[in-house]
């Protein structure tokens, strides 16, 4: 027998699915801005291993020569990104959802087991619960990253009026690097997230839309409790 | 299938678990795809909105203006752009824009250069570099920020704009909302809110790295205004006006924010 169990509250599903397109627009408009002074690279001395970004990347996504447009969209959608994120944090704090989301002492050991399991190195399935150790760490880290983007973004936006914040970020140039690196972090998070969602299967994905998950019951004496 | 839908959505009907799962899933995904459709429609509408006379999407422009009214409230004479030791200043300083900087034509005009200041009673003052050099000199060493994203520590000297206002009895003009600046050839022009113009680090600048301004840095006189991006630091000042309406602004006409306050 199957049993319908509530998994994700309605509010959290809304915050999640609003954040998805809003963050996509923030990253896109951020790219339009970054193009105007695209100085970041990974390398040593004069040797560049990775350039952010190659010209083919810009031209294929039509990023070139759109700084004004990028700034316009970035400074409109920043409000949605901020308000949605704030609502999520307040909701998780007040509703008690944070109890499932914040990492615990054992989460770090569990996360290691999850990693080994997902890489097919370890056989036994790690403890899952609503979120496993790796998920707790990832979903908390992404909120910390969001706060980081907000603060480093403000530091770049008003470096004189919010001079204290700009200094806290290590100065103007450093705030820009932090803002950029966090964005790369979102893209990496997104890629891993998509793979994990595909691996976890339909029931897990459906829960993020419908809110419920199915529990397979072996004990038939409990079926009457179903509601 | 059609029958299944009808049965499931008949009120009062008792559903078994599988039917309930089906019903909840159908409802949720319908709302989900509908809302994504709404979002996509909204996005396409936003992209197709009419443009203002400056070529900017009207919603984006009003967002920029709303941001201005929110963030200009934290603009304060007490919030100074961080000062650096002179030894850290770049030499030579980076030169970026060259609109309104037709150098050959300018060289011919420098002999007769003066800054025209249009007062609110219609009088025009003609102020020479020698006049300005009689006023107290203010030096600013700050991190110059370009709207493109680069920044550079630079060292400038000139007359504090607020000192200039006092010296020439222009207090009445500062009751207006904006100043407008134009290059000698009028090809480049900016508008600046009065609070930013009167900020204690805003200077009418005639020196870079303790030397007279190089021609390509705006000789004989340019604006240095650390509370704005470089686009507002107009070079080779020709005319200064005061106005309650927004003076025309070269980059705002090309889709950028008018305020661009830092």
């Amino acid at each position: 027998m199957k049993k319908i169990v509530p998994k994700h509250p309605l509010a959290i599903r809304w915050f999640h699915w609003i954040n998805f397109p809003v963050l996509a627009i923030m990253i896109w408009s951020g790219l339009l801005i970054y193009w105007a002074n695209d100085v970041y690279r990974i390398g040593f001395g004069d040797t560049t291993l990775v350039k952010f970004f190659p010209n083919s990347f810009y031209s294929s996504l039509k990023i070139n020569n759109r700084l004004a447009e990028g700034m316009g969209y970035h400074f409109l959608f920043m409000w949605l990104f901020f308000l949605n994120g704030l609502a999520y944090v307040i909701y998780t704090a007040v509703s008690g959802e944070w109890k499932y989301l914040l990492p615990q002492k054992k989460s770090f050991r569990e996360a290691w087991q999850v990693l080994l399991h997902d890489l097919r190195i370890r056989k036994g399935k790690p403890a899952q619960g609503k979120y496993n150790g790796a998920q707790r760490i990832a979903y908390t880290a992404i909120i910390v990253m969001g706060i980081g983007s907000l603060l480093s973004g403000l530091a770049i936006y008003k470096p004189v009026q919010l001079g204290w914040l700009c200094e806290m970020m290590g100065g103007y140039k450093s705030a820009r690097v932090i803002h950029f690196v966090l964005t790369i972090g979102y893209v990496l998070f997104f890629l891993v997230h998509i793979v994990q969602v595909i691996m976890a299967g339909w029931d897990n994905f459906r829960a993020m839309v419908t809110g419920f998950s199915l529990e397979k019951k072996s004990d038939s004496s409990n079926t009457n409790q179903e509601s | 299938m059609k029958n299944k839908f009808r049965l499931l959505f008949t009120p009062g009907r008792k559903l078994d678990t599988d039917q309930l799962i089906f019903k909840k899933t159908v409802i949720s995904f319908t709302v989900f795809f509908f809302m994504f459709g709404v979002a996509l429609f909204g996005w396409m509408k936003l992209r197709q909105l009419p443009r203002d006379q400056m070529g900017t999407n009207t919603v984006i422009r009003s967002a920029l203006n709303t941001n201005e009214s929110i963030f200009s409230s934290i603009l304060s004479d007490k919030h100074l752009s961080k000062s650096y030791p002179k030894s850290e200043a770049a030499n030579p300083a980076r030169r970026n824009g060259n609109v309104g900087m037709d150098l050959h034509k300018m060289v011919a005009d420098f002999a007769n250069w003066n800054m025209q200041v249009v007062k609110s009673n219609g009088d025009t003052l003609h102020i020479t570099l020698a006049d300005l050099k009689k006023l107290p000199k203010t030096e600013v060493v700050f991190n110059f920020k370009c709207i493109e994203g680069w920044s550079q520590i630079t060292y400038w000297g000139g007359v504090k704009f607020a000192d200039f206002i006092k010296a020439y009895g222009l207090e009445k003009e500062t009751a207006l909302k904006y100043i407008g600046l134009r290059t000698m050839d009028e090809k480049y022009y900016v508008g600046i809110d009065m609070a930013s113009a009167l900020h204690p680090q805003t200077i009418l600048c005639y020196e870079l790295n303790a030397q007279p301004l190089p021609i390509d840095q705006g000789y004989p006189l340019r604006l240095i205004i650390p509370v704005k991006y470089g686009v507002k630091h107009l070079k080779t000042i020709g005319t200064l006006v005061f106005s309650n309406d927004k003076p025309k602004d070269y980059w705002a006409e090309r889709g950028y924010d008018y305020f661009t306050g830092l």
Side-chain angles (χ1 to χ4, degrees):
Chain A
M1 280 301 290
K2 288 175 282 190
K3 188 185 164 193
I4 298 177
V5 269
K7 189 174 178 188
H8 301 301
L10 182 67
I12 285 193
R13 282 177 276 145
W14 273 90
F15 298 141
H16 174 270
W17 289 112
I18 288 172
N19 188 63
F20 173 49
V22 169
L23 185 56
I25 290 169
M26 288 306 281
I27 293 174
W28 165 75
S29 55
L31 272 176
L32 299 185
I33 296 170
Y34 173 75
W35 169 88
N37 187 48
D38 61 335
V39 291
Y40 301 145
R41 65 189 184 105
I42 296 174
F44 47 89
D46 290 334
T47 315
T48 298
L49 299 175
V50 185
K51 183 184 186 305
F52 299 104
F53 295 91
N55 285 330
S56 55
F57 174 83
Y58 294 128
S59 50
S60 61
L61 292 175
K62 296 196 169 65
I63 300 294
N64 306 39
N65 291 304
R66 295 169 74 179
L67 171 61
E69 184 186 5
M71 293 179 87
Y73 280 88
H74 213 64
F75 300 150
L76 168 60
F77 281 88
M78 68 177 183
W79 289 108
L80 280 180
F81 178 74
F82 164 62
L83 292 173
N84 189 58
L86 181 69
Y88 173 84
V89 170
I90 291 173
Y91 178 84
T92 44
V94 172
S95 68
E97 261 320 279
W98 62 270
K99 280 176 261 177
Y100 307 109
L101 284 157
L102 282 186
Q104 300 157 311
K105 241 183 193 169
K106 60 179 180 183
S107 297
F108 297 92
R109 186 164 39 87
E110 276 180 22
W112 179 244
Q113 293 165 356
V114 171
L115 181 68
L116 293 180
H117 175 262
D118 289 351
L119 295 174
R120 304 285 183 272
I121 295 168
R122 188 177 184 274
K123 273 205 177 127
K125 223 177 161 139
Q128 178 58 45
K130 181 164 183 175
Y131 300 116
N132 66 39
Q135 284 178 300
R136 281 174 181 265
I137 292 168
Y139 299 158
T140 300
I142 204 81
I143 296 306
V144 175
M145 286 166 68
I147 295 168
S149 285
L150 179 76
L151 295 180
S152 57
L154 271 174
I156 300 164
Y157 190 46
K158 300 292 160 191
V160 180
Q161 305 312 318
L162 302 175
W164 57 275
L165 185 61
C166 195
E167 287 309 302
M168 220 172 82
M169 294 283 148
Y172 186 71
K173 282 186 181 172
S174 156
R176 290 178 56 90
V177 173
I178 292 170
H179 205 66
F180 182 85
V181 169
L182 286 172
T183 309
I184 298 294
Y186 295 134
V187 176
L188 297 178
F189 176 96
F190 178 74
L191 295 177
V192 175
H193 190 54
I194 293 297
V195 171
Q196 292 285 19
V197 167
I198 292 170
M199 304 269 278
W202 171 243
D203 181 72
N204 176 69
F205 176 76
R206 180 180 53 193
M208 203 60 220
V209 177
T210 65
F212 70 83
S213 174
L214 291 185
E215 209 171 72
K216 286 204 179 81
K217 289 187 301 185
S218 47
D219 184 2
S220 57
S221 67
N222 279 339
T223 48
N224 291 336
Q225 290 173 2
E226 204 172 279
S227 58
Chain B
M1 191 67 180
K2 204 176 168 187
N3 198 31
K4 190 177 174 187
F5 273 96
R6 208 188 50 198
L7 284 176
L8 290 182
F9 295 96
T10 308
R13 199 189 135 85
K14 189 138 176 45
L15 304 174
D16 64 30
T17 307
D18 278 334
Q19 288 171 327
L20 199 61
I21 293 166
F22 181 74
K23 181 178 172 177
K24 279 171 171 277
T25 304
V26 168
I27 292 175
S28 290
F29 273 89
T30 305
V31 173
F32 179 76
F33 285 119
F34 178 76
M35 289 317 296
F36 255 100
V38 169
L40 195 63
F41 180 76
W43 174 250
M44 282 157 62
K45 278 277 159 210
L46 177 64
R47 298 289 295 161
Q48 290 160 6
L49 272 177
R51 314 254 159 164
D52 62 14
Q53 64 273 33
M54 297 168 177
T56 305
N57 184 313
T58 44
V59 165
I60 297 292
R61 181 63 75 184
S62 56
L64 292 175
N65 292 340
T66 307
N67 288 345
E68 170 179 342
S69 51
I70 293 168
F71 285 100
S72 61
S73 67
I74 59 168
L75 177 71
S76 161
D77 284 357
K78 294 198 181 80
H79 296 157
L80 297 178
S81 192
K82 188 184 168 187
S83 287
Y84 294 83
K86 289 169 188 171
S87 57
E88 284 185 33
N91 195 359
R94 181 165 170 177
R95 186 191 62 83
N96 220 46
N98 55 9
V99 184
M101 300 277 294
D102 190 340
L103 299 181
H104 297 291
K105 185 174 172 291
M106 274 169 28
V107 169
D109 293 343
F110 286 148
N112 304 318
W113 181 87
N114 58 64
M115 176 170 63
Q116 298 184 41
V117 181
V118 184
K119 295 179 69 172
S120 39
N121 63 8
D123 289 355
T124 301
L125 304 176
H126 296 270
I127 297 168
T128 65
L129 198 54
D131 294 335
L132 288 172
K133 283 186 173 171
K134 284 179 205 149
L135 301 177
K137 187 159 98 177
T138 299
E139 294 187 329
V140 183
V141 188
F142 79 110
N143 190 24
F144 183 104
K145 297 165 196 78
C146 178
I147 201 162
E148 292 171 355
W150 55 270
S151 59
Q152 189 178 57
I153 296 170
T154 45
Y155 163 35
W156 312 87
V159 180
K160 195 187 282 189
F161 191 79
D163 289 348
F164 160 78
I165 292 290
K166 267 184 237 143
Y168 284 88
L170 297 165
E171 283 91 349
K172 215 176 93 194
E173 276 72 13
T174 59
L176 303 178
K177 285 183 187 152
Y178 299 96
I179 66 164
L181 287 169
R182 300 196 288 268
T183 52
M184 280 167 82
D185 62 4
E186 311 243 314
K187 283 185 182 155
Y188 192 72
Y189 34 87
V190 298
I192 293 165
D193 53 287
M194 193 59 72
S196 297
L198 295 174
H199 186 272
Q201 289 176 308
T202 303
I203 60 174
L204 293 169
C205 164
Y206 50 75
E207 279 182 2
L208 168 62
N209 291 319
Q211 299 294 318
L213 276 181
I215 287 182
D216 66 357
Q217 286 286 359
Y219 178 86
L221 189 72
R222 71 175 294 175
L223 187 72
I224 287 294
I225 179 162
V227 292
K228 300 284 183 191
Y229 281 122
V231 284
K232 297 278 191 188
H233 300 226
L234 183 131
K235 302 189 195 99
T236 321
I237 298 173
T239 312
L240 166 65
V241 297
F242 301 88
S243 161
N244 257 334
D245 302 321
K246 281 182 176 175
K248 64 176 188 164
D249 187 279
Y250 184 89
W251 287 110
E253 287 173 359
R254 284 153 182 81
Y256 288 85
D257 179 26
Y258 191 93
F259 181 65
T260 61
L262 298 174

